[in-house]
Amino acid sequence: MDPASSSGSASQPPPAPAPAADAGGPGVGKGRAVAALVVGMAGSGKTTLMQRLNLHCAEQKRPAYYVNMDPATRTVPFSAGIDIRDTVDYKQVMQKYGLGPNGAIMTSLNLFATRFDQVLDILEKRSAEGVEHVFLDTPGQIEAFTWSASGMIITETLALQFPTVLLFVVDTPRTSNPTTFMSNMLYACSILYKTHLPIVLVLNKTDVTPADFAMEWMSDFEKFQEALDSARSQSYLTSLNRSMALMLEEFYRNLRAVPVSAASGEGISDLLDAIQAAAGDYEQDYLPEIQRRKREAEEKERQRQVDSMDKLMQDMRMPPPPGGADSDGEGSSRNSPS
């Protein structure tokens, strides 16, 4: 972080609400669908956003494909071409393995991940048919996907095959509290560093509370300080929030934030533009890093196989007979008494 950027009263330019995508970007819009993983806290409106995206793309004649990866949901209000519930029965998983709700969600994702190659085959066919976007809804318990082994397997295999973007959905009315806002930003930042994928911050439910305050807090450190001061609390938590706000300035500077109302449809066009622009970032900045990590993993696996084979060959070598005798037994006959 540039220390100069966190001092003074001058405001930074706000995070780009929805930069227009260049249709001629590298590899974007040229026969490759853009995959968007929809993640967020429980109750942030992920599934409602999926429904709104479905309606908007249908109205605008923009071909899109939808995947439901929440095994515990009762209803899916969008046209899911692939539904995890067709593969895994969440309630049976709970009963069979004696698991609670979160454990059953993670186990269901584990089982789904074992067949994700089939999902990729279907997505490849849809992409070849002209689908522009693939939207994937994730479980309501965000940690069950973002911090699980199966969630990372799904994310990484998807990112190796398609331009992939994360949509981090935020409940805007709840983030009007500075501490809750900071909690959401830290979570978004942690997901960015864990997945190494471009992220778009979706400030949802703007029909209830406009997102102007959040955009202002991200662009102007002093405005966030004023919000903390207005709470009239000088606890350790307040001091920590101030420090975190300074630390996240660089994160905000490169973050695409889009105010959206999944209920009314406001901002959906801007969101699609932001997804397309983030897909361009993926091609230019993120894909080389993903490919490098893949090569390192493959080289590590090859080396492991070589080491394993060497160890096997060493174990197969017969030790010399006791006393250092030759294999034909001549040594023992020479040393035997006449």
Side-chain angles (χ1 to χ4, degrees), residues 28-226:
V28 180
K30 298 179 181 179
R32 300 296 294 169
V34 177
L37 281 163
V38 182
V39 299
M41 302 293 185
S44 59
K46 298 186 296 298
T47 303
T48 307
L49 178 64
M50 290 283 293
Q51 181 184 25
R52 176 56 62 180
L53 286 166
N54 189 175
L55 291 172
H56 181 88
C57 290
E59 290 173 356
Q60 300 298 318
K61 308 297 183 183
R62 301 184 66 169
Y65 197 73
Y66 306 90
V67 179
N68 173 50
M69 294 193 294
D70 186 355
T73 186
R74 293 185 177 180
T75 59
V76 176
F78 52 88
S79 304
I82 298 174
D83 192 335
I84 188 175
R85 301 176 305 165
D86 296 335
T87 305
V88 183
D89 190 317
Y90 168 74
K91 291 185 177 180
Q92 284 188 5
V93 169
M94 289 183 69
Q95 295 172 358
K96 182 176 180 179
Y97 299 102
L99 299 170
N102 287 344
I105 290 174
M106 294 183 66
T107 302
S108 298
L109 282 172
N110 291 342
L111 296 170
F112 186 69
T114 63
R115 299 188 179 184
F116 201 68
D117 58 327
Q118 300 175 27
V119 174
L120 291 176
D121 290 341
I122 294 173
L123 298 184
E124 279 287 358
K125 292 177 183 177
R126 297 296 176 265
S127 178
E129 292 170 359
V131 164
E132 296 179 7
H133 297 95
V134 176
F135 296 102
L136 302 98
D137 194 16
T138 59
Q141 281 66 28
I142 183 173
E143 66 280 357
F145 182 81
T146 56
W147 298 102
S148 66
S150 55
M152 286 307 300
I153 289 171
I154 290 171
T155 301
E156 290 180 356
T157 53
L158 185 68
L160 282 169
Q161 204 152 336
F162 295 94
T164 304
V165 177
L166 290 171
L167 304 184
F168 185 78
V169 185
V170 174
D171 187 338
T172 304
R174 290 185 180 180
T175 57
S176 58
N177 179 285
T179 299
T180 307
F181 171 82
M182 184 54 58
S183 299
N184 275 274
M185 295 304 102
L186 288 173
Y187 211 114
C189 186
S190 68
I191 293 174
L192 172 67
Y193 279 98
K194 182 170 178 60
T195 61
H196 299 278
L197 290 173
I199 187 170
V200 176
L201 187 69
V202 184
L203 297 166
N204 195 20
K205 304 183 183 181
T206 55
D207 55 304
V208 178
T209 302
D212 297 345
F213 73 92
M215 301 294 286
E216 190 175 52
W217 287 352
M218 286 186 284
S219 63
D220 191 341
F221 170 74
E222 291 191 354
K223 292 294 183 181
F224 184 71
Q225 297 296 314
E226 291 174 6

Side-chain angles (χ1 to χ4, degrees), residues 41 46 60 76 97 100 110 132 140 159 180 209 234 249 251 273 286 294 296 300 308 317 320 329:
M41 302 293 185
K46 298 186 296 298
Q60 300 298 318
V76 176
Y97 299 102
N110 291 342
E132 296 179 7
T180 307
T209 302
Q234 297 301 322
E249 277 196 325
F251 172 65
D273 289 341
Y286 293 86
K294 181 185 178 183
E296 288 182 353
K300 185 176 180 180
S308 178
R317 290 173 187 166

Side-chain angles (χ1 to χ4, degrees), residues 230-304:
S230 65
R232 297 183 179 180
S233 173
Q234 297 301 322
S235 64
Y236 167 74
L237 189 59
T238 302
S239 176
L240 182 62
N241 282 332
R242 297 181 196 277
S243 300
M244 292 296 102
L246 281 171
M247 182 192 73
L248 290 176
E249 277 196 325
E250 186 66 26
F251 172 65
Y252 294 152
R253 190 175 294 112
N254 296 283
L255 179 66
R256 287 184 172 84
V258 186
V260 164
S261 170
S264 68
E266 181 183 1
I268 294 297
S269 295
D270 293 337
L271 175 58
L272 292 175
D273 289 341
I275 291 172
Q276 204 69 12
D281 292 345
Y282 163 91
E283 297 278 356
Q284 182 176 355
D285 302 325
Y286 293 86
L287 182 58
E289 171 64 17
I290 293 171
Q291 291 174 335
R292 182 190 65 79
R293 289 163 54 200
K294 181 185 178 183
R295 288 193 299 269
E296 288 182 353
E298 290 175 345
E299 180 60 31
K300 185 176 180 180
E301 176 61 19
R302 280 195 294 269
Q303 188 60 47
R304 186 194 66 79

